[in-house]
Amino acid sequence: MNAKTTTVARFAAAAAAATALTFACAQAAGAAPATPKADRQPVPCTASNTKVTVTPVSRPLNHLLLTATNTGRTACAAYHAPALRWDADQQAPVTVLRDSKPQAVVTLKPGQSAYAGIMSESPDGSGTHGHPVSGIDVYFTDASDEGSVGGPARPKIPGTYFDDSAWVTYWQSSAEQALSY
């Protein structure tokens, strides 16, 4: 080996040893290794870090706009679609409109909102088992879409009729997109 190769090899060995020592000291002190900011996942949006409202809209017919606004201090992710229930005895949440799945998870910085469109009843009257509803439970789903996170938000709905044809879109980044279905 020449002198240049030996110097490079010694430098690489010293750098590797320093990295290992730093990691070992951090573990011994109970500290987690630093995670680059870009690698951190936002926390899930929940009823406790958002304000959830439901607004009737004139178009499209029989639709409502569900809005979740991040009230926390850090970004949150509105994963998948909200799970909606309007009766305590309702067996399953409202159907999710699969065609509305966005290309990416909607991530909300503090103060930003995510939107979902709700069709409350079939415009042609084909839905059954309908009745007036004054409020709904809105559950936020986890990243794996296998359950909910936190308890429900319970926004009020001014005198809305729901039937078994109701559906909800995935979370969208704009109200226009949420109401385009």
Side-chain angles (χ1 to χ4, degrees):
M1 263 202 290
N2 64 29
K4 187 176 181 180
T5 304
T6 304
T7 302
V8 171
R10 283 186 195 155
F11 180 74
T19 301
L21 182 61
T22 301
F23 183 73
C25 289
Q27 282 188 324
T35 303
K37 197 172 193 177
D39 292 345
R40 292 187 204 147
Q41 293 291 329
V43 299
C45 292
T46 65
S48 64
N49 65 7
T50 61
K51 179 180 180 184
V52 178
T53 59
V54 177
T55 308
V57 296
S58 59
R59 295 274 184 250
L61 190 62
N62 299 337
H63 277 63
L64 304 163
L65 180 64
L66 179 65
T67 305
T69 303
N70 182 348
T71 58
R73 294 183 182 180
T74 61
C76 71
Y79 292 111
H80 309 288
L84 306 180
R85 289 178 35 154
W86 60 80
D87 284 333
D89 61 345
Q90 188 176 340
Q91 294 294 318
V94 172
T95 301
V96 173
L97 186 62
R98 298 291 172 197
D99 290 344
S100 68
K101 187 173 184 176
Q103 292 183 354
V105 172
V106 179
T107 301
L108 308 177
K109 293 178 183 173
Q112 289 184 324
S113 298
Y115 306 90
I118 302 170
M119 187 195 69
S120 59
E121 62 176 309
S122 176
D124 65 6
S126 63
T128 59
H129 303 98
H131 62 282
V133 173
S134 60
I136 60 173
D137 289 345
V138 178
Y139 292 87
F140 289 86
T141 54
D142 61 15
S144 65
D145 198 18
E146 294 183 10
S148 61
V149 289
R154 293 192 164 106
K156 299 294 179 204
I157 303 174
T160 302
Y161 189 85
F162 274 81
D163 66 26
D164 62 4
S165 67
W167 50 253
V168 63
T169 67
Y170 280 79
W171 289 113
Q172 307 292 328
S173 57
S174 74
E176 294 78 21
Q177 185 65 30
L179 293 173
S180 69
Y181 295 96

